[in-house]
């Protein structure tokens, strides 16, 4: 059997395969396409042997464009450095691969101009569908894309965009956190969140926190954003007399990192001086003090479900838009076993 280099394999054409197998080019096209059943077993074996001998690799992109299909799915993320985004993206990519699709990921880096450029780029790639986890500031472009292809939102709503939404059941997750803190004896709570910036999930979590505090007369609560004043605000919160034992509730992993860093800088004894619970469950949570109690999001399931919603639309599902809200899972560690006991 002849050995071919990678460069030689790239030069092998469908016509070369047809000549080696002694069949027509149309037969080779059927073999590598979706019409293999139309070929006799003998012809199929000859073509398969010729492909193996020549090292032929069909140009899947060119074939997809010819058929009007690329089997490419686009995904737009606001910040690829965010552990949540990475975990969800992995869930999407795994589901794509299982169904024979490839994923094209664009990171906006929280920049509106980058978002606009990436939306144009994804359209140029002839993607078949789009999964969006971003700020959604370019609503006109998103609406235009939605008119051309299926589009699924992850974690963040875009006002008036008629698309499926997959994410966390934020009100239930916040209730779970408040119930846990109250049962552990904490009474004075500070919610630490990233700036809203129009992000629906952050707004929803803060709204649920404030509503939950209102329903619990034993608790007092305040909200602070991760900004230059975070250290001062947390220091003030810890130094002022309150209703009882104090705890921080961090609305995501980035807020948890910012708050934990501040507590270290303030010389707090983690977690004797203050309790802490955080949304997301990141790899470093068990390594801080006696471990950070977490509300874990089923990120792999969220990512896979986002693709499955998209796949149903690609297959012709024209039913009403759906919202899939997944439950968080409480993982108790030492950060909520201190002052609140």
């Amino acid at each position: 059997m002849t050995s071919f280099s990678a460069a030689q394999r790239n030069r092998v054409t469908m016509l070369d395969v047809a000549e080696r197998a002694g069949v027509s080019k149309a037969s080779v096209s059927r073999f590598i396409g979706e019409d293999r059943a139309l070929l006799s077993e003998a012809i199929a074996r000859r073509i398969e042997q010729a492909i193996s001998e020549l090292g032929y690799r069909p140009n899947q992109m060119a074939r997809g464009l010819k058929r009007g299909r690329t089997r490419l799915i686009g995904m737009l993320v606001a910040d690829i450095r965010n552990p949540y985004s990475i975990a969800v993206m992995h869930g999407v990519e795994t589901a794509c691969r299982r169904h024979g699709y490839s994923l094209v990921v664009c990171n906006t880096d929280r920049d509106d101009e980058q978002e606009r450029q990436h939306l144009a780029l994804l359209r140029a790639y002839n993607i078949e569908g789009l999964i969006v986890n971003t700020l959604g500031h370019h609503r006109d472009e998103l609406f235009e894309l939605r008119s051309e292809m299926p589009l699924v939102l992850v974690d963040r709503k875009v006002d008036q965009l008629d698309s499926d939404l997959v994410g966390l059941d934020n009100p239930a997750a916040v209730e779970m956190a408040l119930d846990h803190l109250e049962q552990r004896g904490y009474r004075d709570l500070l919610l630490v969140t990233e700036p809203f910036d129009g992000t629906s999930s952050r707004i929803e979590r803060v709204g649920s926190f404030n509503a939950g505090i209102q329903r619990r007369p034993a608790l007092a609560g305040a909200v602070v954003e991760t900004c230059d004043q975070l250290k001062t605000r947390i220091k003030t919160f810890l130094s002022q007399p309150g209703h009882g034992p104090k705890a921080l509730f961090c609305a995501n992993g980035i807020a948890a990192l910012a708050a934990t860093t501040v507590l270290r800088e303030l010389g707090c004894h983690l977690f004797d001086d203050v309790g802490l619970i955080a949304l997301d469950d990141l790899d470093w949570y068990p390594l801080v003090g006696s471990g950070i109690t977490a509300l874990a999001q089923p990120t792999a399931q969220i990512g896979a479900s986002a693709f499955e919603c998209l796949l149903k639309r690609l297959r012709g599902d024209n039913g009403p838009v759906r919202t899939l809200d997944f439950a968080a899972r409480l993982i108790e560690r030492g950060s909520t076993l201190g002052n609140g006991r």
Side-chain angles (χ1 to χ4, degrees), residues 22-39:
V23 300
S24 69
K25 186 176 175 181
S27 293
V28 178
S29 179
R30 291 191 183 100
F31 180 86
I32 64 177
E34 298 174 359
D35 301 322
R36 188 178 300 196
L38 298 177
L39 301 173

Side-chain angles (χ1 to χ4, degrees), residues 1 4 21 25 29 36-37 39 44 49 76 81 119 129 135 138 157 187 195 203 225 231 238 246 250 290 306 335:
M1 184 178 294
F4 287 81
K25 186 176 175 181
S29 179
R36 188 178 300 196
L39 301 173
Q49 183 177 354
L76 195 68
R81 296 167 299 180
L119 286 170
L135 302 176
H138 289 282
K157 301 173 184 176
R187 294 295 178 260
I203 295 170
E225 295 182 1
K231 184 174 181 179
L238 294 176
K246 299 176 183 289
C250 298
S290 50
S335 67

Side-chain angles (χ1 to χ4, degrees), residues 301-314:
Q301 191 176 6
I302 289 171
S305 297
F307 174 76
E308 287 161 8
C309 283
L310 197 66
L311 187 60
K312 288 179 181 178
R313 300 301 185 183
L314 286 168

Side-chain angles (χ1 to χ4, degrees), residues 4 20 116 130 202 235 248 255 259 263 297 306 327:
F4 287 81
R20 175 67 69 95
R116 185 190 64 78
L130 179 62
R202 296 174 193 170
K235 183 177 181 180
L248 304 182
L263 293 177
Q297 298 197 55

Side-chain angles (χ1 to χ4, degrees), residues 110-315:
R110 301 184 184 184
D111 180 86
D112 286 348
E113 179 58 23
Q114 285 286 343
E115 181 174 322
R116 185 190 64 78
Q117 292 180 11
H118 284 319
L119 286 170
L121 178 65
L122 287 168
R123 175 181 279 135
Y125 275 134
N126 290 303
I127 57 173
E128 295 186 24
L130 179 62
I131 296 172
V132 178
N133 168 236
T134 188
L135 302 176
H137 289 172
H138 289 282
R139 293 176 61 233
D140 290 344
E141 285 87 344
L142 288 172
F143 273 76
E144 190 173 347
L145 279 169
R146 176 63 185 86
S147 69
E148 299 173 4
M149 68 186 70
L151 189 153
V152 173
L153 301 172
V154 172
D155 186 53
R156 300 169 176 185
K157 301 173 184 176
V158 177
D159 288 342
Q160 300 178 358
L161 186 62
D162 191 31
S163 295
D164 297 332
L165 172 67
V166 182
L168 184 71
D169 187 340
N170 290 301
V174 172
E175 285 294 302
M176 186 183 297
L178 293 178
D179 285 345
H180 176 72
L181 292 172
E182 186 171 22
Q183 289 165 9
R184 291 298 180 185
Y186 295 100
R187 294 295 178 260
D188 204 3
L189 311 181
L190 182 68
L191 178 68
V192 182
T193 178
E194 288 189 274
F196 291 166
D197 197 22
T199 303
S200 63
S201 54
R202 296 174 193 170
I203 295 170
E204 194 171 28
R205 289 169 193 175
V206 171
S208 297
F209 175 81
N210 289 330
I213 294 295
Q214 291 283 337
R215 291 193 301 271
R216 293 171 171 81
L219 300 183
V223 178
V224 62
E225 295 182 1
T226 54
C227 60
D228 293 341
Q229 299 301 313
L230 180 61
K231 184 174 181 179
T232 300
R233 293 290 302 275
I234 290 179
K235 183 177 181 180
T236 300
F237 168 73
L238 294 176
S239 62
Q240 288 180 338
H243 284 55
K246 299 176 183 289
L248 304 182
F249 176 16
C250 298
N252 66 9
I254 292 176
L257 180 59
T260 304
T261 300
V262 166
L263 293 177
R264 288 284 193 188
E265 292 174 353
L266 293 174
C268 293
H269 295 90
L270 303 179
F271 291 96
D272 295 328
D273 296 340
V274 60
L276 191 149
I277 189 170
L279 259 163
D280 296 332
D281 185 34
L282 306 186
D283 291 342
W284 57 270
Y285 282 13
L287 308 178
V288 178
S290 50
I292 295 175
T293 295
L295 295 162
Q297 298 197 55
T299 48
Q301 191 176 6
I302 289 171
S305 297
F307 174 76
E308 287 161 8
C309 283
L310 197 66
L311 187 60
K312 288 179 181 178
R313 300 301 185 183
L314 286 168
R315 291 175 173 173

